[in-house]
Amino acid sequence: MIKKYRFGKPFPTEAVIENIPEAQGAMPRFAVDKNAHTFTCPLAKEDRVYGLGEQVRGINKRGWHYVSYNEDDPIITEKRTSLYATHNFLVVAGEKGAFGAFFDSAAKAEFDIGYTHADELKITAIDVDVYLIDGENIDDIVRQFRKIIGQSYIPPKWALGFGQSRWGYKCEEDIRAVAKGYRDANMPIDSIYLDIDYMERYKDFTVHPERYPDLKGLASDMRAEGIHLVPIIDAAVKVEDGYSVYEEGKANGYFCKGADGEPYVVGVWPGESVLPDVLSPEARKWFGSHYKVLLDDGIEGFWNDMNEPALFYSKGRLHAALEIAAEARGRNLVLEDFNKVTSAIGTLANNINDYKEFYHETPVGRVCHADVHNLYGYNMTRAAAEYFERYEPDKRFLLFSRSSCIGMHRYGGIWTGDNASWWSHLLLNLKMLPSLNMCGFLFVGADLGGFGDNTTEDLLLRWLALGIFTPLMRNHTTLGTRNQECYAFGQKDAFRRILGIRYSLIPYLYSELVKCAVRGDMMFRPLAFEYPSDKRATVEDQILVGESLMICPVYEQNAAGRYVYLPEDMKMIRMLAGDDYTEEVLPAGDHYIEVALDEVVFFLRKGHVLPLAKPAKNTSELDEKALQYVKYIDRDTEYELYVGKGEKKSELAGALKKVTVKA
Ligand code: MIG
């Protein structure tokens, strides 16, 4: 049961695709203060609050305040209140049942979840459609929500293969070396990512003529080895006379404009740049059509970056800051004067005041960026997806984005941005997965091993042991860090084994992902959703993966294992080399589980089975005819398996196979 209430004049985000009429009467559950734009609801002692997608802190979001305003800031610590994405759906669950609430707004919103007052949830949002959802239980509420926002993006099956990335692969030779590194080490891989260095001076839709003289040839050589190249696309377009993307966009008015009607100039990688107005349907169509150059070279997947949008500076603010610095030149600066200089320079990047200075031409008229900020990454990704639909309608492309908002889940997946090589970020990766799924994002993953800072061999191994369960499984790191490829470390066997397990799990992961997309279910669920009356099921470091599994990664350095809580009897599966494993039924309760660095241990739920393939060197060599089933059942049990290459949208209808596994 869903009811919609409108406050102010919300911008049409197109997050919800079902037509839901406004409800009559006052909104229940929340006390509404129309002047303060607040929605307040009491929290009982036992209430837990789930959701908000990509955010800091716990699976249960209670006890902190969160801000929905997409932000490019790579230092992800507990004090943060917003990350790269905005996902305004939450569920409040307690002893008297649960309800869901979606605050559909393109602008800034705040969620104070028992932070100011421990017993109060207070949301602040100005122009917003609020959807209140009642249901039988949390899963039912989520399913209803997912139905109104439309089916989640399904990637091609190869996108579930392992991918290697790094900012700093400069040229074709670097890419070939990575492919060779994996091949020589006999480790599986399906994709290698191209970061900004493949472009000519960071110009979107160009390829550097010396570094990558023949991208098409490189892509086809790689494909022959089962490897896909996945280039990055940045949001901003370089200002440069003679650069066709800039010239066309300028001539047609396709860039965001300042109050003077001229393209608004910001600074990003290529220096002075302009922002494609992806909120204008014509501009969106035009920007998307540029992906063609790379598609024509045989590229089948992309990652969209810097689309919060991230701004190093705006031209106006930079010049003002440089003036202040120039005035200070040669003077003996007292502290106040010195602070004036550092603050002018230090507040250039991603300055919210700049968002107030440029505009979009949308179907409902001209709007200021500040009021629709959260929709930028969503619509940049939509631009690409809508073009793919025109380029080859039946083909599934890999597409994921850094910034997003609910609605974008229909067009692509996300990675969770610039994490760091910290153990705490391994755990944060786990905690974010359920909330991302609640908000429609199924194809998700974090930079495995950590993006910022130097990783360690054990951190990467432990992180991969979690990453083998996430649909997007990519090892990525930033410029200047130590080598992070799996073959760069000493314990080659351990890496080979863990990557191999990923490939054995792909038939299961793919099937679960597709079922969750089609049915509006969550692939990653907190234990509390399944075992609502068990207080211990509120654990924050174990989650369910699909219908059959519970995972409990090790996330502390030098730990020989960890404590695991079993809400019911479960079968412990300890993966050995390849698709070989040992199994042991453990009774409900607490257990200390030893997990060596080269092992993966997970649990199979009672009444369930798990299909396992033989490890393969890439997804195209996976043999789904030779699956074995791990089982914990006392009667014949059916498993719904999605088979096939997973390359075409039309193949889905005939790809569901019901397999009966004998007890
Ligand atoms: O300002 O393209 O999150 O994955 O490697 C940094 C370079 C820009 C940020 C992305 C990261 C990528 C990096 N980008």
Side-chain angles (χ1 to χ4, degrees):
M1 172 68 166
I2 304 187
K3 285 195 162 170
K4 171 180 168 181
Y5 300 87
R6 173 159 291 183
F7 300 89
K9 281 205 193 92
F11 182 85
T13 64
E14 299 177 79
V16 172
I17 57 168
E18 273 187 20
N19 183 26
I20 298 173
E22 272 182 69
Q24 301 301 309
M27 186 168 97
R29 296 201 186 269
F30 288 88
V32 181
D33 181 333
K34 285 194 177 159
N35 295 317
H37 308 287
T38 56
F39 304 83
T40 311
C41 141
L43 290 176
K45 199 161 170 282
E46 304 292 331
D47 285 347
R48 287 159 280 123
V49 181
Y50 298 104
L52 294 188
E54 182 179 308
Q55 262 296 4
V56 292
R57 304 222 171 198
I59 292 176
N60 178 358
K61 291 259 143 344
R62 192 163 175 173
W64 190 239
H65 59 121
Y66 307 84
V67 175
S68 289
Y69 214 49
N70 295 344
E71 188 182 9
D72 163 37
D73 176 347
I75 309 301
I76 300 173
T77 56
E78 275 188 42
K79 72 175 184 185
R80 293 286 300 278
T81 53
S82 45
L83 301 178
Y84 302 92
T86 289
H87 305 138
N88 290 350
F89 174 60
L90 44 79
V91 167
V92 179
E95 290 186 332
K96 288 194 223 116
F99 71 93
F102 175 41
F103 288 80
D104 187 9
S105 164
K108 190 176 198 161
E110 293 181 44
F111 296 79
D112 181 331
I113 309 183
Y115 168 72
T116 305
H117 301 290
D119 57 356
E120 192 178 276
L121 165 66
K122 184 187 227 162
I123 292 129
T124 310
I126 297 185
D127 294 308
V128 62
D129 280 330
V130 183
Y131 296 82
L132 287 187
I133 310 179
D134 286 313
E136 279 162 34
N137 51 44
I138 307 178
D139 293 314
D140 176 47
I141 291 164
V142 171
R143 210 171 289 128
Q144 291 184 55
F145 174 59
R146 298 269 298 283
K147 183 160 179 289
I148 65 167
I149 61 172
Q151 185 178 303
S152 300
Y153 163 77
I154 300 177
K157 197 186 220 170
W158 65 262
L160 271 70
F162 170 70
Q164 180 63 52
S165 185
R166 112 141 11 247
W167 178 12
Y169 294 147
K170 284 180 305 299
C171 54
E172 169 169 344
E173 289 69 40
D174 288 352
I175 301 300
R176 290 191 190 274
V178 174
K180 184 172 183 317
Y182 276 94
R183 189 175 55 231
D184 290 353
N186 198 15
M187 294 175 190
I189 185 164
D190 263 85
S191 48
I192 301 178
Y193 286 75
L194 303 181
D195 208 318
I196 46 176
D197 305 292
Y198 82 88
M199 293 181 246
E200 191 211 338
R201 288 176 298 129
Y202 308 129
K203 280 152 65 185
D204 274 347
F205 312 115
T206 67
V207 178
H208 197 287
E210 279 106 50
R211 295 174 173 192
Y212 292 88
D214 178 17
L215 184 67
K216 192 172 191 166
L218 179 65
S220 110
D221 288 355
M222 290 292 118
R223 281 297 289 117
E225 290 190 42
I227 296 174
H228 294 79
L229 294 184
V230 185
I232 195 171
I233 303 291
D234 276 14
V237 166
K238 183 175 175 62
V239 172
E240 185 177 276
D241 290 337
Y243 166 38
S244 63
V245 181
Y246 170 67
E247 297 271 7
E248 277 170 35
K250 192 172 175 213
N252 292 292
Y254 288 157
F255 297 121
C256 294
K257 301 179 192 80
D260 58 0
E262 288 300 308
Y264 187 74
V265 178
V266 296
V268 201
W269 289 110
E272 290 188 357
S273 307
V274 283
L275 296 163
D277 185 1
V278 287
L279 266 59
S280 142
E282 300 79 51
R284 186 163 67 232
K285 187 169 182 194
W286 163 80
F287 185 74
S289 67
H290 284 284
Y291 284 75
K292 180 174 195 306
V293 267
L294 293 157
L295 294 167
D296 286 348
D297 276 348
I299 299 298
E300 297 168 293
F302 297 88
W303 49 310
N304 283 347
D305 191 21
M306 303 294 276
N307 50 8
E308 293 69 31
L311 312 179
F312 296 169
Y313 57 81
S314 65
K315 195 175 173 183
R317 190 174 303 279
L318 175 68
H319 289 168
L322 293 176
E323 280 302 314
I324 292 172
E327 274 165 32
R329 179 181 285 150
R331 282 173 44 209
N332 177 357
L333 300 182
V334 295
L335 187 65
E336 289 77 5
D337 291 336
F338 175 71
N339 285 347
K340 223 176 130 191
V341 177
T342 51
S343 109
I345 305 281
T347 54
L348 284 174
N350 301 317
N351 191 311
I352 291 179
N353 292 315
D354 288 340
Y355 303 160
K356 296 179 184 149
E357 292 189 346
F358 63 93
Y359 297 84
H360 298 270
E361 309 284 350
T362 80
V364 294
R366 191 161 178 259
V367 291
C368 180
H369 178 76
D371 299 328
V372 288
H373 174 66
N374 293 329
L375 300 182
Y376 196 89
Y378 162 14
N379 283 283
M380 177 195 175
T381 298
R382 181 176 176 184
E386 287 175 342
Y387 180 68
F388 300 163
E389 189 82 36
R390 302 198 293 278
Y391 185 83
E392 212 180 320
D394 196 27
K395 182 168 171 141
R396 289 204 214 141
F397 291 89
L398 168 60
L399 180 62
F400 60 96
S401 173
R402 188 170 72 177
S403 186
S404 65
C405 189
I406 292 177
M408 203 204 86
H409 68 286
R410 301 190 297 269
Y411 301 101
I414 52 181
W415 94 98
T416 50
D418 295 350
N419 62 10
S421 298
W422 305 341
W423 290 85
S424 61
H425 278 181
L426 194 175
L427 183 57
L428 183 62
N429 183 179
L430 177 95
K431 289 182 181 183
M432 259 191 225
L433 294 167
S435 54
L436 290 170
N437 279 190
M438 284 174 73
C439 298
F441 292 89
L442 295 177
F443 187 73
V444 296
D447 289 350
L448 302 175
F451 177 74
D453 304 326
N454 287 318
T455 200
T456 59
E457 183 169 15
D458 56 347
L459 176 58
L460 180 58
L461 281 167
R462 291 299 198 200
W463 210 329
L464 289 170
L466 165 63
I468 60 171
F469 296 99
T470 61
L472 169 62
M473 184 191 181
R474 180 177 75 143
N475 175 345
H476 181 46
T477 183
T478 188
L479 201 61
T481 56
R482 75 190 287 189
N483 292 341
Q484 196 167 298
E485 298 80 16
C486 298
Y487 56 77
F489 296 93
Q491 302 177 57
K492 301 231 170 9
D493 253 336
F495 284 99
R496 206 173 289 131
R497 183 173 301 180
I498 292 175
L499 292 174
I501 297 168
R502 164 59 166 214
Y503 282 78
S504 300
L505 288 169
I506 285 179
Y508 174 71
L509 296 172
Y510 180 73
S511 299
E512 294 300 310
L513 175 81
V514 173
K515 282 184 272 185
C516 288
V518 171
R519 297 168 192 177
D521 285 334
M522 292 164 63
M523 183 165 168
F524 299 104
R525 286 164 70 228
L527 269 56
F529 288 20
E530 182 66 29
Y531 309 96
S533 54
D534 180 352
K535 288 211 164 87
R536 293 284 313 276
T538 53
V539 283
E540 289 270 337
D541 59 357
Q542 306 172 201
I543 53 172
L544 301 169
V545 180
E547 62 170 58
S548 305
L549 303 184
M550 182 186 77
I551 60 169
C552 45
V554 175
Y555 52 88
E556 278 174 316
Q557 189 157 31
N558 299 317
R562 57 164 286 175
Y563 280 95
V564 177
Y565 173 67
L566 304 188
E568 60 179 333
D569 298 357
M570 288 188 180
K571 187 178 262 188
M572 179 170 75
I573 309 296
R574 185 177 294 273
M575 296 300 294
L576 308 169
D579 58 342
D580 204 9
Y581 60 89
T582 63
E583 53 176 57
E584 181 188 352
V585 172
L586 296 182
D590 294 298
H591 299 271
Y592 184 81
I593 307 293
E594 284 185 20
V595 188
L597 265 186
D598 61 352
E599 284 181 332
V600 176
V601 174
F602 55 84
F603 289 83
L604 181 59
R605 291 174 54 204
K606 204 181 221 164
H608 291 275
V609 300
L610 169 72
L612 270 188
K614 295 230 166 299
K617 71 178 211 274
N618 54 53
T619 47
S620 49
E621 299 199 359
L622 267 180
D623 183 2
E624 56 182 22
K625 294 201 186 66
L627 301 182
Q628 61 165 324
Y629 282 82
V630 189
K631 51 194 180 182
Y632 183 24
I633 50 179
D634 53 16
R635 66 180 80 117
D636 293 359
T637 300
E638 191 172 82
Y639 183 75
E640 294 178 293
L641 188 72
Y642 268 97
V643 296
K645 287 202 183 320
E647 288 172 349
K648 296 214 154 68
K649 295 175 188 164
S650 59
E651 89 184 49
L652 211 57
L656 182 60
K657 210 171 117 187
K658 299 191 175 181
V659 182
T660 302
V661 181
K662 296 256 176 263

